[in-house]
Amino acid sequence: MAVSGEAFCRTQLPRVSRTFALNIPLLPEPLDLAVTVAYLLCRIADTLEDEAPGALQQGLLDELAVLVELGPDWEARARAFARGAELALREEAPVAEAELLAGTPTVLETLASLPSWVHPHVARCVRTMTGGMKYIQRRYGGGGRVEGLPDLQATFMYCYYVAGVVGEMLTGLFIASSPRVAARQDALAPRALAFGRALQLTNILKDVREDLDRGSCWLPRDRMAAHGLEPGTLALPGHRARAVALMGELVRVARGELEVALEYALALPAGEPGLRLFCLYPLFFAVETLNTLEGNPAVFDPEPVKMGRESVLRVMLLTQERVASDEALRALYAQCSRMSSPEPVEVMT
């Protein structure tokens, strides 16, 4: 029996993202499917950047930007794109990512089935993301890899292209789907970039060793140099104290972005709890992650540093209980941000 496009997208989501598999189902219909499809298309671009070294040279990012416009002959072009992407993938690429690339025509088919108000926001996001990836690679890359960005401004630019633009897209989708959210546009729009940027910067810090092992680094070179480091020496055991100090400095930058992201989430109406929780889950996951990274030399070890299942469930419960109260959420954020490591937080009864 053939699998529908919607079924494929909903099944594929948890295979390529643990976090978004938790919060996207909280969104009302059809917004949940729209954001699922948008996330998968962004993940396809991300996979091309990470797992297909020849994607830039072969024009695959350009083609993806064209495909999301759903122009003439997009079905045939999507099939050709999937074949080309398969050939460009590294052999060690994760199976789920390879399956998602192969399913690009199905993801686009699902996008085409969604209401017309979805399309321009998703298309603009993917166009900006793929164009930004190309720009970063051409300006700062070598051999398909970026080994450090010159300064924090460049790191923020990269964060915009791969995540800040997602914050803009989500804001557009939220406003288009709900008159109550549309009334908050002036409060949401200025904070949308920080929401996406904060989550991406946290991921960059969390994945620093994994990226280094793949030959890439997204940290600012000037801040590394201030600590006597460069990408090639960042993970050396003899430089661990310097690396931990650098991490602490960048964690403080990420916390500043998260404070703005919290105000973004609170600008969403309390009468839209699904939208609030969609934002609050990853925001508080990021707070917990930064707590784990700060002062922790293990972040530079080969074994990745991750949140435990108990911490994930605790964050979900605590935010669910407080979702309608700005005061309670601010208090929870302040308490969690003060922790140097995950600790129990009182559960409301």
Side-chain angles (χ1 to χ4, degrees), residues 2-349:
V3 177
S4 72
E6 177 177 346
F8 173 83
C9 292
R10 294 192 187 279
T11 300
Q12 202 66 25
L13 178 65
R15 302 194 66 225
V16 295
S17 174
R18 291 193 309 161
T19 299
F20 284 94
L22 294 174
N23 67 345
I24 287 179
L26 300 172
L27 296 171
E29 297 181 349
L31 191 58
D32 63 331
L33 184 57
V35 175
T36 296
V37 169
Y39 175 82
L40 293 178
L41 288 168
C42 291
R43 191 58 180 258
I44 288 168
D46 188 59
T47 299
L48 290 174
E49 181 187 46
D50 289 344
E51 305 293 346
L56 183 63
Q57 292 80 4
Q58 295 175 26
L60 290 171
L61 290 172
D62 287 332
E63 183 65 3
L64 181 61
V66 172
L67 286 171
V68 294
E69 301 286 351
L70 301 174
D73 300 323
W74 69 262
E75 294 99 330
R77 293 183 68 166
R79 291 191 293 271
F81 168 87
R83 290 192 296 270
E86 181 181 8
L87 294 174
L89 274 182
R90 300 188 303 170
E91 289 185 7
E92 58 268 34
V95 173
E97 309 284 354
E99 290 179 355
L100 177 58
L101 278 182
T104 300
T106 305
V107 179
L108 289 166
E109 174 190 331
T110 312
L111 174 64
S113 73
L114 288 164
S116 59
W117 53 264
V118 172
H119 300 167
H121 299 291
V122 175
R124 178 190 178 277
C125 177
V126 175
R127 284 198 314 270
T128 304
M129 180 177 291
T130 54
M133 288 175 172
K134 287 166 47 188
Y135 173 79
I136 293 291
Q137 288 287 348
R138 286 172 175 163
R139 182 164 184 180
Y140 304 117
R145 297 299 177 199
V146 173
E147 297 184 6
L149 294 166
D151 49 34
L152 190 59
Q153 183 178 0
T155 296
F156 270 4
M157 180 192 302
Y158 173 72
C159 288
Y160 168 72
Y161 284 135
V162 298
V165 68
V166 176
E168 290 179 329
M169 176 194 68
L170 290 170
T171 304
L173 291 174
F174 292 168
I175 288 170
S177 68
S178 168
R180 286 187 292 191
V181 177
R184 306 285 184 92
Q185 180 173 356
D186 289 345
L188 289 166
R191 299 176 171 95
L193 295 186
F195 176 74
R197 205 162 51 200
L199 301 183
Q200 182 61 29
L201 185 54
T202 300
N203 283 337
I204 286 173
L205 299 180
K206 174 179 66 71
D207 297 334
V208 62
R209 177 57 190 263
E210 181 181 346
D211 288 338
L212 286 170
D213 288 344
R214 289 197 296 202
S216 293
C217 179
W218 306 104
L219 303 185
R221 279 186 168 271
D222 65 339
R223 301 319 308 152
M224 284 188 277
H227 292 272
L229 297 166
E230 58 185 28
T233 62
L234 189 58
L236 294 179
H239 293 167
R240 198 54 48 97
R242 298 178 189 179
V244 168
L246 169 68
M247 180 64 66
E249 178 182 332
L250 295 176
V251 162
R252 289 190 289 276
V253 173
R255 289 193 192 280
E257 292 293 291
L258 280 175
E259 290 174 5
V260 183
L262 175 66
E263 296 307 312
Y264 175 87
L266 297 184
L268 293 164
E272 295 280 4
L275 272 63
R276 278 194 160 200
L277 288 172
F278 171 87
C279 297
L280 290 169
Y281 279 10
L283 191 159
F284 277 90
F285 292 159
V287 171
E288 294 270 6
T289 298
L290 293 179
N291 290 343
T292 303
L293 299 181
E294 192 166 20
N296 184 1
V299 70
F300 297 100
D301 292 339
E303 187 68 24
V305 174
K306 294 182 179 180
M307 281 183 66
R309 178 177 172 81
E310 290 185 2
S311 294
V312 170
L313 294 176
R314 179 169 59 84
V315 165
M316 293 168 63
L317 176 61
L318 292 169
T319 51
Q320 287 168 16
E321 291 176 336
R322 293 160 173 79
V323 66
S325 170
D326 291 3
E327 181 181 0
L329 286 167
R330 284 196 178 98
L332 177 64
Y333 179 86
Q335 184 175 0
C336 290
S337 297
R338 287 195 297 267
M339 297 177 182
S340 59
S341 60
E343 298 172 1
V345 178
E346 182 182 357
V347 178
M348 298 169 63
T349 58

